[in-house]
C-alpha cells in the first residue's frame, strides 16, 4: 500500500516519511512540515496541515484497532 497522498494544494507527500508538523508562531495559517530525508522543512498552509493530521489520525486508528 502506498502512503503517498495528494494534499489539497496539489503537493504530493509520502506520509511514511513524516517526522513532525509545526505551526508557524507568526501565523495560524502557515505550518512547517518535516519529512525524513529532507534537509529543510516544507511550508504548507492550514488546509494541507489539517489534511495531513486527518490522514495520520486515520492511520493510527487502524493500527490501534488491529
Amino acid at each position: 500500500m502506498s502512503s503517498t497522498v495528494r494534499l489539497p494544494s496539489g503537493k504530493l507527500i509520502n506520509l511514511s516519511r513524516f517526522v513532525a508538523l509545526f505551526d508557524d508562531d507568526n501565523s495560524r495559517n502557515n505550518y512547517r512540515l518535516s519529512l525524513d530525508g529532507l534537509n529543510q522543512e516544507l511550508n504548507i498552509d492550514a488546509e494541507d496541515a489539517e489534511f495531513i493530521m486527518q490522514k495520520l489520525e486515520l492511520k493510527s486508528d487502524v493500527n490501534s484497532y488491529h
Side-chain angles (χ1 to χ4, degrees), residues 1-53:
M1 176 198 273
S2 173
S3 57
T4 301
V5 296
R6 182 180 302 272
L7 301 178
S9 66
K11 295 176 184 172
L12 295 172
I13 64 163
N14 184 338
L15 288 180
S16 68
R17 302 188 84 169
F18 176 83
V19 174
L21 183 62
F22 306 98
D23 62 340
D24 191 343
D25 294 333
N26 299 327
S27 170
R28 299 298 285 166
N29 293 325
N30 295 316
Y31 291 80
R32 298 181 327 263
L33 175 65
S34 178
L35 298 174
D36 186 38
L38 289 181
N39 293 332
Q40 63 184 12
E41 296 168 343
L42 302 173
N43 292 322
I44 61 172
D45 61 25
E47 187 177 14
D48 285 350
E50 181 65 31
F51 182 85
I52 291 169
M53 288 185 273

